[in-house]
Each structure stands twice: as structure tokens, then as C-alpha cells.
């Protein structure tokens, strides 16, 4: 079942290692993040790599390349500037059967569901070239697999999991999530499903998210090793309070535990609308990290209506998600909020929905509820008309609001421009600029992602939101900066990796171990 690109490249010791998983969301991304920081502490020049990422949560590198947010985080852990080589192929789902393809940070067409197993050879070649670029410049490449490493239906065209490992002769560590149950069966079954050549590359297992006494688990680990011949590199504990960049999910545990103020009246309640094709949901993580701010991700119009602040986040499908807002009653809840002067924030696609009109003359969203030449009315709350263009805007803009510096990034096809018809009759309240977008009354909209990660801006803006909402919330004087909080979480991960995993075992077959043996 191996593919034609699987032939291994001979090397004196592997140039990296692959962190694969029994399932999606087994913890691969966080394990790679922790390993990168742990290896940096050992003095290694290490970089992260994910051949293909399927996610609508992405960011922008310094050169304007778009890659997955998880790889940007891992680059931070490795103390490296993120580059497109770290995530050479990014698939952004538009529908259940089509994904928009980004290669080396730039748009590169679409991939249909029927092409997923057989139509990706050109993507594999781009991924191989990126890996070779990284391996030639660094001591070690820590690779992250995708989904399950035992998806045998996709093995023939695989270049992310065992296809990658076979190509570059990488030792593989398989991570299983014990919190979801059945981890021993999942680890054993993963190895059992692999063809012999792939199975030979699985060198270690890691159990993730364990709660309790590890001695209770030990007999099971011993038996799995006896049956498979694969030793365990360790058992990572459940790490409460570590909730770094998910790839595609808004169900981040920290948001369910985000209220840190003891006084009910000091809470600021934020409702984030979970759009069907939500993208860059990570924009609101900085709100969840703020003491006294309660963030709830919801599809309930009543929750949207009753919160102090309602947020429409980004979307990969502005037209279909706008129709969904109307169909579910959430659009009516947003309009009711504005009638009561209750705060609303739209970010990127959410901002476009708040405008007067959305037009797609080129059919950019033809696969997700739009078609060439289509135009629909927005919610009419901000004085902009959005027109989609084939060329994507990618950048890292900087600006300010009320004297507070803001650094952000932008990823969008839609250009939102002030409408000529938006006069004082249409918008009787004062209209002012807001982070390359607009504000009317208590309704704000911006195309910038990541703006809320700027501490001074975020807190000053939330004070204004709280005042408009009638909340007594104020920033906690001892609140940790968002960037410092993220660094602390990375270090917490690395501490756990160093304490609970056998790093020498993980490195045993890499050129790092080979070079040290020669030096000795």
C-alpha cells in the first residue's frame, strides 16, 4: 500500500523524528510544542514541521506566507521565526467535500474529496522539498503527523504520517490520548494495522493526558510492549491550564474555565458565535485569558442576545454562514443587540457580515454557498460593502487605537470598503475608523486577526465595552500579559516533557544521537 514517493533517502542517522497519533486530537501538536522547547533547552537547533495541516486556523509569517497557527506556536517554542517550510501544505476546508489549498504559504487551487487519496503527488513533492530545506539547515526536525497514523485507506498517497517517515527514515513515536478512553487498544491497533515496513519505524509510544497514579497503568503498558515490541517513552500527565492553539476546534477547555473573578458583578460575559465554517477562532483566546471575562462559544440566539459582548469571528464561508445566521435566529439577536446599543464585534468574515452588502463577482466562494456574480445583503450595521477578489490579501499590519499600539495579521479574499451610500441618514450615529475597519455606536468591525492579543489595546477596549454593557468589569491590575501567559504554557509543556518522557530514547536513532556518540 505504500506510495511511489516512499523510497527512503539514506542518511547517517535520521534527520528528525515523527510524532504521530492514534487519532485526531490525541495531543500531537502540544507534544511537538513541548519537545521543541525541551530540545532547545538542551542546546539543539530544532525546528517544527508538519507536511500537511488541515485547518482554518492560520497565521501569517514575516514574509507574508500563510501557515497553520499550530506551527507558528511550535516555531515560538523552538525560538525560531516561523516560515512556510514548517507547514508547506495547508488545506482550508470550504465544504465537507472540498478544501482550498495553500502551498508554501500561497493559494494553490482546490482539492476535491475524491482527489484526497490519489491527487496529491504534487503536494507531496512540495512537502518533501520543504523538509529537505529544513534538514539541511538545522540539527533536528520535529515532525507532526496528521489525524490517525493508521488510516490505511489513505496510505497509498500519504506524505504526512508513515509516508513521511518512510521517505526520510524517521523514527516514529505514536501518541495516544487516555482521557478519551481505550488508549491501549488504540496503540495496539495502530501498530497492528500498519504494513511491516511502516511498523518497523514505530520506535516508541507515549500516553497523553493521564490523570491519577501511573502505577495503575503500568501493567497495561508492559503488556502492550510485550505484544508489539514497542517500548513506552513515557506517560504525560493531564496539564490543567494549558490550552494553546487548537487546529480546528472552538471547544477549548480553558474557555469553559475562564472566569477568574470571585465577584459575580465583575464578570464580563462574551458570546462567540460558533459559525459552521469558523476560521481563526483563536482570535478570542486572549479574551478567555483575561481575568473576570467569561467566554462562551454558542449557537444559541438567547445566549447571544444576553451576553455583554457578542463576537462574530472569521469564517471560510461568508455567504453560507450569513444565511445560517439568519436561519438560526442569531442575526435577529444581533440586530436586537444593536437596537439596545449592546456591544457587537465582527472580525474578518464576521465584520463583512455586519456590513451593507457582500459581493462575489469572481465566484471565490462558489463552493460554499456563493456563485459567480452573486451578491447578498449584510446585516446593515456597518457602512461597508465587501467585494471578493481572487487574490488573497496576506499581511501583518500595525496600527493604533486611542493611543494603544496594535500589531495583527490579515488573511482574506474580501475587500471591505466604505460605501458611498453610507451617509448620515443611513448611519445617524458617529462613524469612526477602527483597526482598518469601522465603528458605529457600540458595533465594531475589523479585518485584523490577532488584534486582541495586544494587552493594552485589549484591556482599554474591553473597558469601553463594559461601560456600554453596564458591566462593572475592570482589568485586574496583576493580570499576566497574554504573550507571557503563552510562554509560560510552553514552558509548562516542556517541563512535563522533560520530567515524564525519555528524551534520549526519542533521539536514539537521530543524527543528534549519532553525532554525540562520535564526539564521545
Amino acid at each position: 500500500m505504500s506510495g511511489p514517493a516512499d523510497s527512503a533517502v539514506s542518511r547517517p542517522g535520521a534527520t528528525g523524528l515523527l510524532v504521530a497519533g492514534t487519532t485526531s486530537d490525541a495531543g500531537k501538536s502540544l507534544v511537538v510544542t513541548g519537545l521543541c522547547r525541551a530540545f532547545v533547552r538542551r542546546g539543539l537547533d530544532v525546528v517544527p514541521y508538519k507536511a500537511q495541516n488541515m485547518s482554518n486556523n492560520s497565521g501569517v509569517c514575516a514574509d507574508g506566507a500563510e501557515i497553520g497557527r499550530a506551527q507558528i506556536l511550535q516555531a515560538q517554542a523552538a525560538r525560531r521565526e516561523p516560515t512556510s517550510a514548517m507547514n508547506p501544505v495547508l488545506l482550508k476546508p470550504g465544504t465537507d467535500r472540498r478544501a482550498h489549498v495553500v502551498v508554501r504559504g500561497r493559494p494553490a487551487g482546490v482539492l476535491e474529496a475524491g482527489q484526497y487519496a490519489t491527487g496529491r503527488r504534487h503536494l507531496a513533492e512540495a512537502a518533501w522539498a520543504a523538509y529537505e530545506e529544513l534538514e539541511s539547515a538545522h540539527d533536528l526536525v520535529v515532525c507532526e503527523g496528521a489525524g490517525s497514523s493508521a488510516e490505511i485507506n489513505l496510505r497509498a498517497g500519504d506524505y504526512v504520517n508513515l509516508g513521511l517517515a518512510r521517505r526520510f527514515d524517521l523514527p516514529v513515536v505514536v501518541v495516544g490520548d487516555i482521557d478519551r478512553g481505550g488508549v491501549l487498544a488504540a496503540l495496539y491497533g495502530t501498530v497492528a494495522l500498519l504494513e511491516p515496513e511502516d511498523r518497523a519505524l514505530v520506535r516508541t509510544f507515549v500516553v497523553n493526558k493521564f490523570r491519577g497514579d501511573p502505577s495503575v497503568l503500568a501493567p497495561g503498558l508492559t503488556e502492550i510492549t510485550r505484544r508489539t515490541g514497542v517500548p513506552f517513552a513515557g506517560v504525560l500527565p493531564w496539564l490543567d491550564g494549558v490550552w494553546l492553539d487548537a487546529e480546528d476546534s472552538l471547544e477549548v477547555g480553558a474557555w469553559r474555565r475562564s472566569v477568574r473573578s470571585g465577584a459575580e458583578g465583575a464578570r464580563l460575559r462574551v458570546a462567540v458565535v460558533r459559525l459552521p465554517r469558523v476560521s481563526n477562532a483563536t482570535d478570542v483566546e486572549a479574551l478567555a485569558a483575561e481575568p473576570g471575562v467569561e467566554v462562551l462559544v454558542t449557537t444559541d440566539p438567547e445566549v447571544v442576545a444576553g451576553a455583554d459582548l457578542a463576537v462574530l469571528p472569521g469564517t471560510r464561508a461568508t455567504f453560507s454562514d450569513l444565511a445560517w445566521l439568519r436561519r438560526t435566529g442569531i442575526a435577529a439577536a444581533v440586530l436586537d443587540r444593536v437596537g439596545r446599543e449592546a456591544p457587537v464585534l465582527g472580525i474578518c468574515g464576521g465584520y463583512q457580515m455586519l456590513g451593507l452588502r457582500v459581493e462575489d463577482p469572481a465566484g471565490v466562494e462558489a463552493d460554499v454557498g456563493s456563485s459567480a456574480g452573486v451578491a447578498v445583503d449584510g446585516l446593515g450595521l456597518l457602512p461597508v460593502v465587501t467585494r471578493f477578489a481572487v487574490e488573497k490579501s496576506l499581511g501583518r499590519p500595525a496600527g493604533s487605537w486611542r493611543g494603544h499600539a496594535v500589531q495583527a495579521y490579515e488573511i482574506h479574499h474580501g475587500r471591505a470598503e466604505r460605501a458611498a451610500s453610507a451617509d448620515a441618514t443611513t448611519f445617524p450615529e458617529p462613524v469612526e475608523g477602527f483597526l482598518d475597519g469601522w465603528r458605529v455606536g457600540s458595533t465594531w468591525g475589523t479585518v485584523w486577526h490577532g488584534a486582541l492579543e495586544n494587552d493594552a489595546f485589549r484591556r482599554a477596549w474591553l473597558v469601553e465595552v463594559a461601560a456600554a454593557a453596564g458591566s462593572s468589569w475592570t482589568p485586574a491590575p496583576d493580570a499576566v500579559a497574554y504573550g507571557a501567559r503563552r510562554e509560560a504554557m510552553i514552558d509548562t509543556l516542556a517541563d512535563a516533557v522533560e520530567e515524564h518522557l525519555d528524551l534520549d530514547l526519542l533521539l536514539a536513532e537521530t543524527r543528534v544521537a549519532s553525532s554525540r556518540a562520535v564526539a564521545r
Side-chain angles (χ1 to χ4, degrees):
M1 293 180 62
S2 60
D6 282 353
S7 54
V9 179
S10 179
R11 288 170 172 78
T15 53
L17 59 93
L18 173 65
V19 177
T22 58
T23 62
S24 295
D25 200 33
K28 299 182 295 291
S29 295
L30 293 188
V31 170
V32 170
T33 302
L35 286 174
C36 283
R37 179 57 59 86
F39 290 144
V40 165
R41 290 174 176 178
R42 286 190 166 199
L44 296 177
D45 176 4
V46 59
V47 288
Y49 170 85
K50 186 163 185 172
Q52 174 191 289
N53 198 345
M54 181 171 281
S55 177
N56 276 327
N57 288 338
S58 58
V60 180
C61 303
D63 64 355
E66 180 184 6
I67 68 172
R69 283 270 305 198
Q71 281 62 63
I72 291 176
L73 173 72
Q74 290 160 0
Q76 179 181 343
R79 303 198 188 283
R80 287 284 170 187
E81 183 70 27
T83 71
S84 64
M86 296 174 185
N87 178 207
V89 179
L90 173 63
L91 303 181
K92 307 189 74 172
T95 70
D96 292 339
R97 300 188 60 82
R98 174 180 287 190
H100 294 257
V101 182
V102 178
V103 176
R104 292 305 295 261
R106 305 294 173 183
V110 298
L111 188 71
E112 305 287 350
Q115 300 173 308
Y116 194 80
T118 59
R120 299 186 294 160
R121 179 59 185 266
H122 68 295
L123 302 181
E125 291 172 352
W128 302 149
Y131 183 90
E132 290 167 347
E133 179 182 319
L134 293 175
E135 73 165 2
S136 67
H138 303 281
D139 293 340
L140 182 70
V141 184
V142 182
C143 308
E144 179 187 340
S148 167
S149 49
E151 292 171 344
I152 55 178
N153 55 311
L154 302 176
R155 178 62 184 88
D158 173 53
Y159 60 93
V160 187
N161 291 307
L162 273 301
L164 173 70
R166 285 272 289 279
R167 172 73 178 182
F168 295 103
D169 195 26
L170 302 176
V172 178
V173 51
V174 178
V175 178
D177 177 3
I178 196 171
D179 192 58
R180 65 177 60 194
V183 70
L184 299 181
L187 292 168
Y188 179 80
T190 295
V191 171
L193 283 171
L194 300 179
E195 57 185 277
E197 294 85 354
D198 288 347
R199 194 180 306 140
L201 290 171
V202 178
R203 300 292 194 263
T204 56
F205 291 137
V206 166
V207 173
N208 190 31
K209 302 181 186 176
F210 181 74
R211 307 171 193 246
D213 183 355
S215 66
V216 176
L217 187 60
L221 306 188
T222 299
E223 182 62 17
I224 293 297
T225 296
R226 186 189 71 79
R227 296 190 184 198
T228 64
V230 178
F232 281 79
V235 177
L236 287 171
W238 176 275
L239 298 174
D240 194 27
V242 174
W243 43 272
L244 293 156
D245 295 356
E247 291 199 341
D248 247 339
S249 174
L250 267 175
E251 297 302 329
V252 178
W255 296 349
R256 296 193 296 270
R257 303 185 299 274
S258 62
V259 178
R260 297 179 179 85
S261 172
E264 181 71 27
R267 294 182 182 177
L268 189 69
R269 296 164 299 139
V270 180
V272 179
V273 177
R274 181 171 184 142
L275 300 166
R277 294 293 172 185
V278 66
S279 68
N280 284 76
T282 47
D283 278 327
V284 297
E285 285 186 355
L287 296 180
E290 195 69 48
V293 176
E294 180 180 9
V295 177
L296 179 65
V297 181
T298 185
T299 58
D300 186 338
E302 292 185 5
V303 175
V304 173
D308 295 315
L309 169 66
V311 179
L312 294 180
T315 172
R316 184 60 193 81
T318 304
F319 281 80
S320 64
D321 280 0
L322 180 54
W324 176 85
L325 284 181
R326 290 185 163 117
R327 191 166 61 249
T328 59
I330 293 177
V334 171
L335 291 170
D336 175 70
R337 291 184 62 86
V338 173
R340 295 183 282 111
E341 298 184 355
V344 174
L345 170 66
I347 303 174
C348 200
Y351 166 44
Q352 296 164 5
M353 295 178 191
L354 293 175
L356 296 170
R357 199 163 177 78
V358 184
E359 302 174 357
D360 188 10
V364 173
E365 288 197 357
D367 61 323
V368 285
S370 176
S371 60
V374 76
V376 297
D377 289 336
L379 300 184
L381 302 175
L382 291 175
V384 294
V385 172
T386 297
R387 294 180 179 87
F388 280 78
V390 173
E391 184 178 353
K392 183 184 290 187
S393 293
L394 298 165
R396 289 167 58 167
S400 65
W401 180 81
R402 308 280 170 83
H404 300 290
V406 178
Q407 293 183 321
Y409 60 98
E410 55 182 338
I411 305 170
H412 55 92
H413 284 281
R415 274 69 163 173
E417 298 179 353
R418 177 75 182 265
S421 61
D423 56 20
T425 302
T426 310
F427 294 94
E429 294 186 80
V431 177
E432 63 174 305
F434 177 73
L435 305 183
D436 204 25
W438 297 96
R439 173 205 179 169
V440 177
S442 292
T443 302
W444 289 266
T446 177
V447 76
W448 289 4
H449 295 290
L452 293 170
E453 296 178 16
N454 296 266
D455 298 314
F457 159 72
R458 179 182 66 254
R459 290 164 182 162
W461 181 73
L462 284 176
V463 166
E464 189 159 326
V465 166
S471 168
S472 60
W473 180 89
T474 57
D478 58 348
V480 178
Y482 181 69
R485 184 178 181 82
R486 286 171 64 85
E487 270 292 307
M489 285 191 275
I490 292 173
D491 282 329
T492 297
L493 274 173
D495 291 344
V497 162
E498 290 180 338
E499 180 179 354
H500 298 283
L501 299 187
D502 186 340
L503 297 184
D504 290 329
L505 178 60
L506 295 177
L507 292 173
E509 297 184 34
T510 68
R511 65 181 178 187
V512 171
S514 299
S515 64
R516 288 179 174 175
V518 171
R520 287 197 296 268

